[in-house]
Amino acid sequence: KLRFQAFVAATLGYSLYYVCRTSLNVMKQPIIDSGVLDATQLGIIGACLYWTYAVGKFVNGFLGDYCNIKKFMATGLIVSAVANMMMGLLGLWEGMAGIASSSMFVMFAIMWTINGWSQSMGAPPAIISLSRWYPLNIRGTYYGFFSASHNFGEGLSFLFVAALVSAAGWQWGFFGAALAGVLGVTLIALWLHDTPESKGLASVEVLAGEKTQEEYDREVSERSACVSDNSAETSRIQRAVLRNTGVWILALSSAFMYMSRYAINEWGMFFLQKTKGFELLEASSIIAINTIAGIVGTVCAGWISCRT
């Protein structure tokens, strides 16, 4: 029961992270139509998030190994929700006070940079949770389901946020994303558990029968004999990861995949609206098909990885 709760919290919590990350994608054409910002400025603002996200994911992945993953993941989503709320408030303020476009650009860039860093606090603790609660023989399958979380979050953003923007204006799209973030924080706080041991259970290796309790205790004892504390052991493993060529190859391949993926997710709706004349909900529904296909693909890939 606790393991399933942790899986649901990590998966749905991270999908709601994505609503807070991709909300701006839905609003680009409405923001341009309002005269607040132009496409170049929006492109720079989007880049602020992703560059910060890239650096933050590297740093926070290492920090997550030392932290309580529930508090770590919840904190990131709280900050992301606040950043979205501030964007919505800035939009309302601009409508009432007539703030200069250059000032709005700077404030939006700052908020979206903060959002980028907080977004990088989502995946590391969620993935750590899977490694702590699921044994190797089924971990790939559950990771496949978890990997579909970002597709689910993107699809929710393209439909839910787009509906709010169409009904009430682009500012309310940010408020809707912030609400999604609050729901995610609640779910993480209630159901994301740090480790089996923190709940009075044996380690996942012992629970799955991969090791006996005696073997696990002996391994822990041997590690403790080599290092003075767990932090030193974690640091040693992290340095070994950095020296692993395979990890860097995977990172580079993932970077190229993100380029093709976000070319669609960032600018697909804008292209359909600007060039093809689609309405906002029509364009968002078309791009949502891409995310639905991604859910099927990632789930299948995870299932296959456990059987090859």
Side-chain angles (χ1 to χ4, degrees):
K1 176 185 173 181
L2 293 172
R3 182 170 71 178
F4 183 69
Q5 286 179 349
F7 168 74
V8 171
T11 302
L12 294 184
Y14 194 53
S15 70
L16 294 171
Y17 255 90
Y18 257 79
V19 177
C20 290
R21 184 189 309 180
T22 58
S23 56
L24 182 61
N25 299 348
V26 179
M27 305 172 216
K28 285 180 176 174
Q29 188 61 57
I31 289 175
I32 292 172
D33 290 342
S34 71
V36 176
L37 299 168
D38 59 34
T40 301
Q41 290 173 321
L42 287 171
I44 295 171
I45 291 168
C48 289
L49 183 145
Y50 287 117
W51 282 112
T52 310
Y53 175 72
V55 176
K57 202 168 184 180
F58 182 87
V59 174
N60 286 317
F62 281 82
L63 293 178
D65 287 332
Y66 301 94
C67 299
N68 180 300
I69 58 174
K70 173 189 287 193
K71 296 177 181 178
F72 197 81
M73 190 173 184
T75 299
L77 191 48
I78 289 171
V79 176
S80 185
V82 170
N84 273 270
M85 185 179 69
M86 291 300 298
M87 299 276 273
L89 290 173
L90 285 169
L92 292 177
W93 187 25
E94 189 279 333
M96 294 183 294
I99 303 172
S101 177
S102 58
S103 299
M104 286 293 292
F105 168 65
V106 171
M107 289 186 287
F108 267 42
I110 292 172
M111 286 297 105
W112 224 230
T113 298
I114 294 171
N115 192 25
W117 186 270
S118 63
Q119 283 287 320
S120 71
M121 299 173 68
I127 295 169
I128 290 170
S129 176
L130 290 177
S131 68
R132 290 177 177 176
W133 284 94
Y134 285 88
L136 285 171
N137 64 326
I138 59 172
R139 192 176 298 162
T141 298
Y142 280 88
Y143 184 79
F145 282 103
F146 165 76
S147 294
S149 62
H150 65 260
N151 299 97
F152 180 73
E154 288 170 352
L156 186 61
S157 182
F158 291 140
L159 298 177
F160 168 64
V161 175
L164 279 176
V165 172
S166 295
W170 62 266
Q171 296 91 339
W172 288 92
F174 286 116
F175 293 134
L179 176 61
V182 172
L183 293 175
V185 170
T186 303
L187 186 62
I188 292 166
L190 293 176
W191 275 10
L192 187 65
H193 311 300
D194 193 42
T195 63
E197 293 91 328
S198 70
K199 292 297 180 178
L201 301 173
S203 69
V204 68
E205 294 88 351
V206 174
L207 291 173
E210 294 175 348
K211 296 175 183 176
T212 66
Q213 186 66 53
E214 291 75 15
E215 289 173 332
Y216 180 77
D217 290 341
R218 185 168 59 250
E219 184 179 288
V220 171
S221 178
E222 289 172 353
R223 288 203 303 263
S224 298
C226 296
V227 295
S228 58
D229 55 41
N230 290 333
S231 295
E233 171 68 2
T234 300
S235 179
R236 183 190 66 79
I237 294 172
Q238 289 177 342
R239 289 194 298 272
V241 169
L242 287 174
R243 292 192 294 268
N244 189 321
T245 305
V247 170
W248 289 99
I249 293 172
L250 287 172
L252 187 61
S253 65
S254 180
F256 283 116
M257 187 170 289
Y258 261 73
M259 288 172 63
S260 60
R261 177 175 145 209
Y262 279 106
I264 299 298
N265 289 349
E266 282 280 333
W267 294 100
M269 286 183 55
F270 180 78
F271 169 79
L272 291 174
Q273 291 174 275
K274 186 74 174 179
T275 306
K276 300 300 181 180
F278 285 96
E279 295 297 326
L280 176 62
L281 286 177
E282 292 175 326
S284 64
S285 299
I286 292 171
I287 300 302
I289 295 172
N290 179 58
T291 67
I292 294 171
I295 292 173
V296 176
T298 52
V299 169
C300 290
W303 182 83
I304 292 170
S305 72
C306 285
R307 288 155 179 82
T308 55

